[in-house]
Amino acid sequence: MNRETFYITTPIYYPSDKLHIGHSYTTIAADTISRFKRMKGFDVKFLTGTDEHGQKIQRKAEEEGTTPKEYVDHIVEGIKKLWETLDISNDQFIRTTDEFHKEAVKKIFKKLYDQGDIYKSHYEGWYCTPCESFWTEAQLKDGKCPDCERNVELTEEEAYFFKMSKYQDRLMKHIEDHPDFIQPQKIKNEMINNFLKPGLEDLCVSRTSFSWGVPVDFDPGHVVYVWIDALSNYITALGYLSDNDEEYKKYWPADVHLVGKDIARFHTIIWPTMLMALDIPLPKKVFGHGWILLQGGKMSKSKGNVVDPVILTQKYGVDAIRYYVLRELPFGSDGIYSEDNLINRINSDLANDLGNLISRTVAMVDKYFNGQLPGKQESGEFDDDLISLALETPIKAEKYIDNLQFSNALVEIWKLVSRTNKYIDETTPWILAKEEEKKSRLATVLYNLLESIRFISILITPFMPNTPKAIWEQIGIEEGDITTWDSLEEFGQYPITSKVQKGKVIFPRIDIEEGERPKKKQKEKKVEEKNQEEYITIEDFAKIDFRTAKVLKAEKVEGADKLIKMQLEMGNEIRQVVSGIAQFYSPEELVGKNLIVVANLKPIKIRGEESKGMILAASKGKKLTLVTIEEDMDSGTKIS
Ligand code: MSP
């Protein structure tokens, strides 16, 4: 049976020995979805590579007294190594200097020329004679060459142009008919409003001012200029226009081109119009992700050392880095990188939440049952809640990963991690262990914990390919049928014949003062820790159910000067809340007010009166004022 295919690409990278953590984002994200799709049984092709031609490379090689090819060879090796270090599972690595690619690009150029979609004309630009470079008006620095800062002249050069304008209407229609083609929406709007609506211009696709590129073989002196060469890699890698185009037939059109927002235009305008001219289908989706920024600005070569992915993986481990970039960058938006942030994530999400869950569970199974459980025996309170969340999580995570919302998928998975930790606090296994007759309940509790850990380990596999193996070793299972994504359809597959094995701490806590980081004084650290404790997460905040409520009735509580009891209308419900505001408001004043109530506060009795919730007020010294709603809102409306 033919399996469904999934073809995903990253951009091909410019050869630079300073690829930073931001560059790694695209590749880690593409790797994650590739791993997930493979787990789901797809026949995946994941392509990445390098974009090696152009004047810059030619000039750098000249400066180093070497050939451009020799110059890039060495850098490309470094890039391949980087992807190995980050456990990137690409199926192919294409170089635009690969012979098969160059041959196919020549044919593409010729085909477009022969059918009249490429024509010869003149390119006008600002020319810097010493640098032998053309610049556009926008690239100039104070009207001078951005490289050497010398004067430039407006010059003309003979060049070939691609009739991009001819495909404008067809492209607009395609975008309208395929709402998922450009994502996220923000990028789609930008492309339509900034480029398509004002009208597309024809595109200059050859150069004569440098020679390091794919030659235009029917016109010596011209080389193919960047985009036809670079973008074509997505089809030349599959053998398009070659003797063997089996892969092209199998995988094209691509399911996703994952690109940074800075190159979204090339992928959503130039590339589709080229494909239309070649009369081949367009990719199903182009997703333009946000950037990882440094506090205080963009990442750059000079700041490279602080964000060098190799150094970061050596310090913190590959899976931690992968987790961090995917968790930190929300769907389609920019995220800010800081090492403190990274360490906080490692310490809280990985060491505290996940690592502790595993070590606590394994230690208890070891202590109370010598490492092997007698199986599930006695169900009890909290089990259903845990099990239903475990079964829901893969469905939610799957949807998010498919929509490239990695951060949201991780949030869902971590809800299960937190729920499992909470289950330990709720069921208190250490108390159950004290009484012999509770042993059967204890066995079930620990079974549910190990099974939830099995769930979590599978869910994180696409994101963190190494950690699951370490977890499986500790909970005593091996990769196989019970570690597949499909096995998440049923809770209770952890084999009772398994024996846990205490092992190394999965994510050790990082001391914030470790390594090259500047030492902070003890006192400062304490203050910092305290401040951090004072933060709550968005999940903490989401636990509070704030509601609007209308005061229907209010009266003083007998025998208590300060208390007023109120009947509040909250949607269909009427509830009583007692509050210490009698010195500030009379009961009459309160009736009719629209207040805000913490609706899910545990009910208590005050002076024998039940109080279900708390109203919000600002108070300082002898002043107090109630928080009210300005506009008339339905009572019971949720506040977020
Ligand atoms: N060679 C072109 C792409 C041609 S594709 C046919 C190119 N190369 S690049 O090396 O400059 O960039 C590669 C990718 O890294 C791009 O998707 C770019 O958006 C991404 N990033 C570079 N810096 C980044 C961040 N700071 N954050 C996230 N992604 C970033 O463009």
Side-chain angles (χ1 to χ4, degrees):
M1 196 184 75
N2 274 346
R3 284 188 298 155
E4 211 178 319
T5 58
F6 185 79
Y7 180 33
I8 180 163
T9 67
T10 72
I12 44 172
Y13 289 78
Y14 291 128
S16 155
D17 45 11
K18 285 280 181 292
L19 288 196
H20 51 62
I21 188 74
H23 291 111
S24 311
Y25 175 74
T26 322
T27 319
I28 293 175
D31 184 63
T32 300
I33 186 151
S34 298
R35 286 176 182 273
F36 167 70
K37 287 286 183 188
R38 286 188 202 111
M39 284 177 88
K40 292 285 295 172
F42 282 74
D43 173 347
V44 173
K45 169 127 184 144
F46 166 19
L47 175 73
T48 186
T50 37
D51 184 1
E52 304 180 15
H53 291 126
Q55 189 170 28
K56 251 196 191 153
I57 298 286
Q58 183 173 333
R59 191 157 326 121
K60 283 211 180 116
E62 275 159 16
E63 277 164 22
E64 292 198 4
T66 174
T67 64
K69 182 67 171 43
E70 269 169 7
Y71 172 80
V72 289
D73 275 351
H74 148 81
I75 299 175
V76 170
E77 273 321 298
I79 295 179
K80 284 186 175 170
K81 266 232 162 69
L82 170 62
W83 300 149
E84 266 171 41
T85 305
L86 289 170
D87 274 311
I88 303 301
S89 62
N90 53 299
D91 299 287
Q92 189 179 342
F93 188 101
I94 188 171
R95 301 181 56 176
T96 52
T97 50
D98 285 332
E99 279 312 317
F100 72 85
H101 172 78
K102 293 195 291 184
E103 282 316 303
V105 168
K106 283 184 203 166
K107 288 184 191 161
I108 290 172
F109 200 93
K110 181 78 170 35
K111 183 170 155 62
L112 295 176
Y113 177 73
D114 287 346
Q115 69 191 41
D117 274 323
I118 281 181
Y119 61 91
K120 203 172 189 176
S121 179
H122 287 92
Y123 171 76
E124 198 185 70
W126 295 93
Y127 193 68
C128 172
T129 314
C131 293
E132 294 176 22
S133 310
F134 268 105
W135 303 104
T136 62
E137 183 92 36
Q139 285 173 321
L140 299 180
K141 209 165 134 197
D142 301 325
K144 307 215 161 160
C145 169
D147 268 3
C148 70
E149 298 186 12
R150 279 181 274 210
N151 288 334
V152 285
E153 281 171 69
L154 195 60
T155 318
E156 266 196 355
E157 169 179 288
E158 197 184 64
Y160 285 93
F161 282 78
F162 167 54
K163 278 190 189 162
M164 197 155 74
S165 54
K166 176 174 153 190
Y167 296 96
Q168 143 124 13
D169 295 342
R170 257 179 79 184
L171 177 57
M172 194 69 156
K173 175 142 187 0
H174 183 88
I175 294 173
E176 276 162 13
D177 293 347
H178 300 84
D180 285 347
F181 175 54
I182 307 179
Q183 283 186 16
Q185 186 69 28
K186 206 167 59 186
I187 301 249
K188 177 168 159 177
N189 295 345
E190 204 182 303
M191 295 304 133
I192 295 177
N193 296 331
N194 298 359
F195 302 107
L196 278 163
K197 283 198 176 148
L200 296 182
E201 282 177 17
D202 290 349
L203 183 77
C204 179
V205 289
S206 81
R207 282 289 196 272
T208 52
S209 49
F210 61 89
S211 59
W212 179 235
V214 179
V216 174
D217 51 6
F218 57 88
D219 195 348
H222 284 264
V223 290
V224 177
Y225 180 60
V226 57
W227 294 109
I228 288 195
D229 175 12
L231 290 159
S232 299
N233 92 86
Y234 301 130
I235 46 176
T236 64
L238 302 177
Y240 177 69
L241 294 188
S242 80
D243 297 342
N244 180 358
D245 63 357
E246 281 305 305
E247 284 211 322
Y248 171 73
K249 287 187 192 131
K250 183 172 176 191
Y251 292 111
W252 192 259
D255 291 271
V256 192
H257 288 318
L258 195 60
V259 302
K261 60 180 183 181
D262 52 318
I263 54 172
R265 178 164 74 97
F266 308 117
H267 287 80
T268 58
I269 294 182
I270 300 179
W271 181 225
T273 50
M274 264 175 69
L275 291 170
M276 282 172 175
L278 291 170
D279 198 23
I280 63 180
L282 304 197
K284 293 179 202 155
K285 191 190 289 184
V286 178
F287 183 91
H289 65 71
W291 273 42
I292 301 188
L293 304 170
L294 268 186
Q295 252 153 5
K298 243 170 92 169
M299 292 194 188
S300 64
K301 278 195 181 179
S302 55
K303 295 173 187 160
N305 59 336
V306 286
V307 288
D308 182 333
V310 174
I311 296 176
L312 290 177
T313 54
Q314 282 160 356
K315 263 171 111 173
Y316 303 113
V318 175
D319 280 13
I321 299 302
R322 291 177 59 118
Y323 173 79
Y324 171 75
V325 295
L326 294 170
R327 176 67 184 80
E328 210 57 23
L329 217 65
F331 184 51
S333 325
D334 292 341
I336 300 218
Y337 167 86
S338 85
E339 200 158 346
D340 283 348
N341 232 331
L342 166 65
I343 294 174
N344 282 337
R345 281 255 171 245
I346 295 177
N347 285 347
S348 73
D349 301 5
L350 301 180
N352 241 4
D353 297 348
L354 180 61
N356 277 348
L357 170 65
I358 294 155
S359 53
R360 279 165 94 190
T361 305
V362 168
M364 288 191 288
V365 177
D366 193 56
K367 187 168 165 195
Y368 303 138
F369 290 97
N370 240 338
Q372 193 171 4
L373 295 176
K376 253 178 134 158
Q377 298 184 342
E378 188 188 323
S379 307
E381 212 190 342
F382 313 113
D383 295 5
D384 287 350
D385 200 37
L386 176 70
I387 295 169
S388 58
L389 188 70
L391 290 168
E392 272 165 31
T393 306
I395 301 164
K396 288 189 184 156
E398 200 168 320
K399 203 181 87 215
Y400 282 131
I401 303 174
D402 267 330
N403 287 326
L404 306 167
Q405 301 184 29
F406 303 105
S407 178
N408 287 344
L410 286 169
V411 169
E412 287 305 324
I413 298 169
W414 252 254
K415 279 186 194 161
L416 180 59
V417 174
S418 303
R419 182 67 195 84
T420 314
N421 272 317
K422 195 171 152 212
Y423 181 76
I424 301 184
D425 301 339
E426 289 165 341
T427 52
T428 56
W430 53 94
I431 296 178
L432 297 175
K434 283 188 186 148
E435 294 174 48
E436 195 50 40
E437 64 272 23
K438 301 236 166 101
K439 268 254 157 122
S440 55
R441 174 67 185 139
L442 177 64
T444 306
V445 164
L446 294 179
Y447 182 88
N448 288 340
L449 286 172
L450 286 174
E451 177 63 347
S452 300
I453 291 173
R454 185 184 72 88
F455 262 64
I456 294 160
S457 69
I458 298 167
L459 290 164
I460 62 172
T461 304
F463 302 88
M464 297 191 267
N466 300 294
T467 307
K469 292 186 193 97
I471 299 178
W472 298 337
E473 217 168 276
Q474 297 206 13
I475 64 170
I477 61 173
E478 279 181 11
E479 195 165 355
D481 290 349
I482 54 164
T483 60
T484 62
W485 196 272
D486 283 352
S487 74
L488 299 174
E489 278 172 20
E490 200 187 308
F491 192 92
Q493 297 192 55
Y494 177 80
I496 46 162
T497 46
S498 297
K499 192 166 175 133
V500 307
Q501 188 135 36
K502 275 204 210 165
K504 273 203 315 218
V505 174
I506 296 210
F507 285 103
R509 277 186 74 79
I510 310 280
D511 179 356
I512 204 136
E513 293 190 0
E514 237 178 32
E516 302 142 17
R517 302 172 55 67
K519 294 251 179 262
K520 291 200 182 89
K521 287 193 211 105
Q522 205 53 28
K523 201 171 142 203
E524 264 178 56
K525 192 185 162 198
K526 282 227 169 81
V527 172
E528 208 174 82
E529 274 174 4
K530 188 165 178 301
N531 285 343
Q532 277 181 16
E533 277 165 20
E534 282 168 0
Y535 284 120
I536 61 163
T537 63
I538 192 79
E539 289 84 12
D540 293 333
F541 175 74
K543 285 183 195 154
I544 309 175
D545 186 16
F546 290 110
R547 299 273 169 175
T548 57
K550 191 179 190 114
V551 185
L552 296 180
K553 201 172 150 200
E555 59 189 306
K556 287 205 164 176
V557 173
E558 252 178 65
D561 306 344
K562 295 183 181 161
L563 298 180
I564 288 191
K565 65 174 177 189
M566 288 166 280
Q567 305 305 319
L568 304 181
E569 177 198 85
M570 276 175 49
N572 296 330
E573 187 193 351
I574 308 238
R575 56 162 86 180
Q576 175 167 294
V577 170
V578 178
S579 181
I581 53 172
Q583 286 162 309
F584 307 96
Y585 288 90
S586 68
E588 300 74 47
E589 269 179 285
L590 290 168
V591 175
K593 277 197 189 300
N594 292 310
L595 306 179
I596 298 178
V597 176
V598 179
N600 58 344
L601 198 68
K602 198 170 168 188
I604 48 163
K605 279 208 164 162
I606 309 176
R607 293 283 178 110
E609 296 285 353
E610 180 170 64
S611 182
K612 274 180 82 182
M614 182 178 78
I615 55 171
L616 298 189
S619 75
K620 191 174 177 191
K622 291 191 170 156
K623 274 177 86 178
L624 180 142
T625 180
L626 287 168
V627 178
T628 54
I629 299 283
E630 252 182 52
E631 298 275 322
D632 191 21
M633 283 291 275
D634 289 342
S635 71
T637 303
K638 191 166 171 55
I639 293 169
S640 51

